Amino acid sequence: MHMSHVERMSKMVQVRNVPERLHSELVRRASARGQTLTDYIQEVLEREVARPLPEEVFARIRGRTPTDLGRTARELIHEERGQRAEEESP
């Protein structure tokens, strides 16, 4: 599929009414990384949208086939803790 030049162009996002303390902290962090404020904010936004929303994660989990471990999670944790305690005792 061929994208037009307009579809490949970057979009502009403007944020208004940013509190002074937030702006100052963003500038400080960008400077500490040797980045412009724009580059730093873009990096922050990229990281944020790279993670799935909690609702999406929960929906994927609900859609999976349950696994039968033969015991409850409580029993498995209790057993593991008991084994660790035995390994740690002299």
Side-chain angles (χ1 to χ4, degrees), residues 44-63:
V44 169
L45 292 172
E46 294 261 354
R47 271 196 319 266
E48 178 62 27
V49 299
R51 293 185 305 217
L53 294 171
E55 298 81 16
E56 294 169 342
V57 173
F58 298 143
R60 283 196 308 229
I61 292 169
R62 281 191 302 274

Side-chain angles (χ1 to χ4, degrees), residues 74-87:
R74 181 185 177 279
E75 293 168 332
L76 291 169
I77 291 169
H78 182 72
E79 179 182 318
E80 177 66 23
R81 286 180 179 164
Q83 289 175 358
R84 286 184 188 182
E86 288 175 12
E87 292 171 1

